[in-house]
Amino acid sequence: MRILGINCLNHDAGIAVIEDGEILFAAHAERYSRKKNDKYLNDDIISEALGFGDPDKVVYYERPYLKKTRQIFAGQRSSAFSTENIPKNYLRKWFPGKIHYVDHHTSHAAAGYLTSPFDDAIVVVIDGIGEWDVCTIWRGKDGRLSRVKSIKYPHSLGLFYSAMTQRINLKPCEEEYILMGMSAWGSPIHKDEMMNDFFEQDLALKLKHNLHNGVGRYLEDAEKFDIAASTQAVTEDVLKNIFMWAKNLVPDVENLVYMGGVALNCVANSTVVAKLFDNVWIMPSPGDSGSSLGCAAYVSGDKVNWRGPFLGTNIEGEYPVEATLSLLLKDKIVGVASGRAEFGPRALGNRSLLADPRGAEIKDKVNKIKRRQKFRPFAPAVLAEHAHKIFEMPVDNIPYMQFIAKCKRPDLYPAICHVDNTSRVQTVSKKDNPGFYRLISRFYEKTGCPMLLNTSLNIKGQPIVNNKNHAREFQVRYDVPVLS
Ligand SMILES: [Fe+2]
C-alpha cells in the first residue's frame, strides 16, 4: 500500500511517501517554492511525490476541527473561523478523494518511534502548539504506540521558549536556534526569577500564565544574552523534570525516542537527555515538517525501514570526491550538491558548503558568504571513528547533528567551536553517506585532519539548494564552485 503524508497550512509544509514499509520520498515545500518556512504546498513538490505513483491513502498530520476548538479557546478567532485553513478545501485540487487525519502529537510520536531502531522505547514529544497537546509521553512496543500521559495547552515549554525568542527581538517559531546559540554568551542570572515567574513548582510542566502572545517587555533592562542564557537554563531544568517524570511513568525502559520542535535544542539534548538515557533516537526532522512522514507511517500501522535522511530531490551523478578534494586542498570553500536532498533542517553532506576547518581565518571567510551573526560557529563533519579523539562525545554517534560536544582542541579548530568550546557535531560513517565519508577520508589522508567544516548550501534568507538550477544560482551569486 502506498501512503502519502502531508503537513501544510501551518509552517514548513512537507510531503512523505511510504510504500510497504519503505520510505520512498520525504521533502520540504520550501525547497521547491524557495520561500523559507513555506506553509503551502506547490505543484513541483506534489508532482515529485506523485512520481512514485498515485497514493492509495492520503493522510494529514493533525485534526483541523480539534485544532479550531483550541484556537477558539486561545482567542485566535480569525484562524478558528477561517475556511481557508481547512485541509480538505485546500488539498482538493490535488487530492479530491478522502483525506485521513492523525492527531498532531501522534504524528510526531510515530515519526520518531516508527523510524527508530528500538522495539521498546519511551517516547516523549514536546513542542510549541498543535491541537491541544503540548507534551505527550508514550510507550512504543512491538511496532505499536500507546499514550501514557499528556499535558495540554497552554502549559507549553515550546511556547515559553518562543515567547523569549520574541522578547529578544528574534522571530518566534523560526529563530529559536539563534536564542540557543546566544545562550552561551550570557549568564543565567535571571534563571530563578524566570522559573518562579512562569512555572509552577513541583509539577513536571505547568505554566503560571499563557505565553501564547509573548511576554511583552519582560526583564526590560536585562541584557539579551543573559535572557537567552536564563531561558536556556530554565528550559533545561524543566526538561529534566519532564524526562524524570517520563522515566517514572514508563519504568525499566532505557531507550528514548524524542520528538517535537523542542527536540531541535541540541544543547539541552546533550546537557539533559543524553545524561538520562542510554540510547536516544531523535529523527532528523523532529519538528512539524517531519510529521508528514509520521502520519503516513502511523496509518501504515507498523515500523518503517529507516535508511537515512537522504529522501528528497535527486541530483544524479557520483559524489564529486576528487574534484571537491582538490579545491579543498587549495584552501577553497566548495559547495556540493549531489544525490538526494536531506529531509530535516540540516545539510548533512549532500547540499553542503564545505571548507578546511583548521586555522583562525576560515570562519570569517565562510561568514562572508553566509552573512550570519558572528557569534555563531559552523559545524564539523567528522569521521565517526575519529570523533572521540577530537570531541567529548555525549553519545557514541551523532549522524544528524542533534547534540553538541565539547571540542578537545579549540585552539586548532576555532571555526567550529562556540564560545564555550562546544560544537554541533556530525559524525559521518560509510553507512550514513558513502560519498561524503570517502571525501572526508581522502581529506584525512592528505592532511591528517579527519573532518570538514560543513554548513548548509543556501543563499542568505533562502532555503537550502534543492536542484541543479539552485546550485548554479548559488555559484553565480557568491562566486563559489558548486560541484555535483
Ligand atoms: Fe508540533
Side-chain angles (χ1 to χ4, degrees), residues 4 6 63 65 70 74 85 95 104 140 189 217 226 264 271 308 367 386 403 421 429:
L4 186 142
I6 293 172
R63 295 189 185 276
Y65 291 103
R70 196 267 303 147
N85 57 14
F95 305 107
H104 187 108
I189 50 175
R217 299 163 73 91
D226 292 341
L264 285 163
T271 56
N367 249 329
H386 289 268
F403 298 87
N421 293 333
S429 70

Side-chain angles (χ1 to χ4, degrees), residues 232-286:
Q232 181 66 26
V234 166
T235 300
E236 289 174 21
D237 275 10
V238 174
L239 283 172
K240 200 170 174 187
N241 292 340
I242 294 172
F243 284 108
M244 292 305 294
W245 183 51
K247 268 179 167 267
N248 283 331
L249 288 167
V250 187
D252 305 321
V253 180
E254 284 307 320
N255 302 322
L256 172 74
V257 171
Y258 179 27
M259 293 292 289
V262 179
L264 285 163
N265 192 314
C266 54
V267 175
N269 293 348
S270 290
T271 56
V272 178
V273 182
K275 289 185 176 156
L276 291 173
F277 292 88
D278 288 345
N279 309 303
V280 182
W281 171 255
I282 302 170
M283 202 269 270
S285 192

Side-chain angles (χ1 to χ4, degrees), residues 2-149:
R2 196 178 301 120
I3 303 168
L4 186 142
I6 293 172
N7 146 48
C8 64
L9 299 173
N10 194 11
H11 54 89
D12 202 4
I15 294 190
V17 181
I18 292 176
E19 184 170 10
D20 301 331
E22 294 293 329
I23 308 167
L24 303 181
F25 176 76
H28 308 270
E30 63 163 28
R31 310 276 166 93
Y32 301 78
S33 69
R34 313 310 295 159
K35 288 180 198 145
K36 196 117 178 87
N37 271 323
D38 197 351
K39 65 178 179 177
Y40 297 111
L41 298 173
N42 53 71
D43 289 339
D44 289 343
I45 189 173
I46 298 233
S47 80
E48 205 167 311
L50 292 179
F52 293 89
D54 285 337
D56 299 301
K57 280 186 180 173
V58 175
V59 190
Y60 190 72
Y61 82 117
E62 62 182 12
R63 295 189 185 276
Y65 291 103
L66 185 60
K67 185 170 178 170
K68 282 184 182 295
T69 64
R70 196 267 303 147
Q71 286 169 330
I72 291 168
F73 177 83
Q76 295 172 284
R77 294 181 64 84
S78 61
S79 299
F81 297 108
S82 167
T83 52
E84 282 174 17
N85 57 14
I86 294 173
K88 195 166 175 39
N89 297 347
Y90 173 70
L91 294 171
R92 189 172 289 138
K93 67 173 170 169
W94 294 299
F95 305 107
K98 183 176 167 59
I99 308 277
H100 299 259
Y101 300 93
V102 174
D103 294 352
H104 187 108
H105 267 230
T106 305
S107 297
H108 274 310
Y113 173 63
L114 296 177
T115 58
S116 77
F118 311 135
D119 282 332
D120 192 4
I122 301 176
V123 182
V124 176
V125 179
I126 309 173
D127 65 359
I129 195 167
E131 297 130 355
W132 285 90
D133 291 325
V134 292
C135 170
T136 50
I137 293 167
W138 311 67
R139 181 162 195 180
K141 200 165 189 302
D142 302 329
R144 295 277 181 276
L145 277 161
S146 44
R147 184 187 289 242
V148 178
K149 274 283 180 215

Side-chain angles (χ1 to χ4, degrees), residues 7 12-16 25-32 36-37 259 264 282-293 306 308-313 340-352 399-402 424 456-457 463-466:
N7 146 48
D12 202 4
I15 294 190
F25 176 76
H28 308 270
E30 63 163 28
R31 310 276 166 93
Y32 301 78
K36 196 117 178 87
N37 271 323
M259 293 292 289
L264 285 163
I282 302 170
M283 202 269 270
S285 192
D288 287 355
S289 61
S291 290
S292 54
L293 177 56
W306 178 259
F310 304 104
L311 297 164
T313 291
R340 294 193 72 174
E342 293 87 347
F343 185 50
R346 314 273 176 244
L348 299 166
N350 282 9
R351 299 291 185 278
S352 287
Y400 314 131
M401 292 188 191
Q402 311 103 316
R424 197 181 62 205
S456 54
L457 189 63
I464 296 174
V465 158
N466 198 44

Side-chain angles (χ1 to χ4, degrees), residues 155-209:
H155 303 290
S156 163
L157 182 60
L159 277 186
F160 162 74
Y161 209 90
S162 291
M164 290 302 168
T165 300
Q166 188 177 31
R167 165 63 188 84
I168 58 170
N169 302 325
L170 295 169
K171 216 168 166 187
C173 300
E174 196 174 319
E175 294 187 325
E176 281 73 8
Y177 69 99
I178 300 179
L179 181 149
M180 183 184 72
M182 289 169 69
S183 68
W185 287 86
S187 299
I189 50 175
H190 309 295
K191 178 185 156 189
D192 291 346
E193 188 181 350
M194 222 178 241
M195 187 65 111
N196 192 45
D197 286 344
F198 295 120
F199 291 90
E200 297 282 3
Q201 305 302 305
D202 306 323
L203 285 165
L205 175 58
K206 188 168 186 192
L207 287 171
K208 288 183 176 171
H209 322 280

